[in-house]
Amino acid sequence: MKDTTNEHHLDFVGDNLAINFINTRRMVEGQLIDTLQSDSDVKAWLMRLEVPVTKGSLPFDDGVLLKGARGLREIALAAVQDRKSRKKPSLIALNRFLADAPSHTALTTDDARNIRVTRVYGKETVEAFLAPVAEAVAHLLADGDFNLIRHCEGNACVLWFYDRTKSHRRRWCTSTGCGNRAKVAAFRARAGQI
């Protein structure tokens, strides 16, 4: 079986940080794979998606970040599924997560003309470390257009995406993956009818 942890191109198919986080579980060669297998996997994923992370060692025991990330992912997935099916999502667990994630704003600058307000998070707890993702989930639930948040139509695919295409007709996580498989299957079905 090939190494599935290096399939980083799928880290961005959701077109939204919260959805991309949910998509860290995906189907590969017919098997459900969790790309988050260690604290370093979580940290590397955050860095790939340009979420600010602390350099160096983590301030908590080994495995704690992984457990927290997987827990947050399950909270996010359940809430997105509820919103998509027009049910009222339970917000208790996400609010508890957010309450334990202290942060403050700070000004940063590259030069005298480009001053930005950025959010700085404490990194002493897992909740604080994952706060940017938790906040992305909260913003998605509150402000996301759930008519454009979709589950891939690929057979057995578990990926989600935010359809930001002009026509809003996106159906697949990727056109080269599930989209191509569907086109090949449709071609074969038509060829069998001739």
Side-chain angles (χ1 to χ4, degrees), residues 5 11 20-26 33-46 48 65-71 73 130:
T5 58
D11 286 345
N20 287 332
F21 186 61
I22 291 169
N23 288 344
T24 56
R25 284 185 40 189
R26 50 185 77 131
I33 301 295
D34 190 337
T35 63
L36 305 179
Q37 294 294 317
S38 67
D39 290 348
S40 60
D41 288 345
V42 175
K43 195 172 176 181
W45 182 87
L46 292 167
R48 274 193 304 281
L65 179 60
L66 175 63
K67 182 179 178 185
R70 286 178 170 175
R73 183 180 59 199
L130 295 170

Side-chain angles (χ1 to χ4, degrees), residues 45-156:
W45 182 87
L46 292 167
M47 291 170 60
R48 274 193 304 281
L49 274 82
E50 299 179 353
V51 175
V53 295
T54 304
K55 293 181 175 144
S57 62
L58 299 172
F60 22 84
D61 293 335
D62 191 38
V64 173
L65 179 60
L66 175 63
K67 182 179 178 185
R70 286 178 170 175
L72 177 58
R73 183 180 59 199
E74 294 310 312
I75 292 167
L77 177 59
V80 166
Q81 288 172 327
D82 284 347
R83 280 291 318 267
K84 186 65 184 166
S85 63
R86 300 192 188 319
K87 295 178 188 171
K88 182 179 176 183
S90 173
L91 303 177
I92 296 168
L94 182 58
N95 281 333
R96 190 176 310 128
F97 202 98
L98 291 166
D100 291 336
S103 66
H104 64 277
T105 57
L107 293 173
T108 58
T109 182
D110 295 329
D111 57 46
R113 293 182 307 226
N114 295 320
I115 297 174
R116 292 179 308 280
V117 176
T118 58
R119 185 158 295 282
V120 179
Y121 301 90
K123 302 294 184 194
E124 296 78 32
T125 66
V126 169
E127 292 82 5
F129 199 89
L130 295 170
V133 177
E135 288 182 1
V137 173
H139 286 290
L140 178 68
L141 294 174
D143 303 324
D145 182 347
F146 275 78
N147 292 317
L148 302 178
I149 296 169
R150 302 203 175 109
H151 191 266
C152 178
E153 292 182 17
N155 186 27

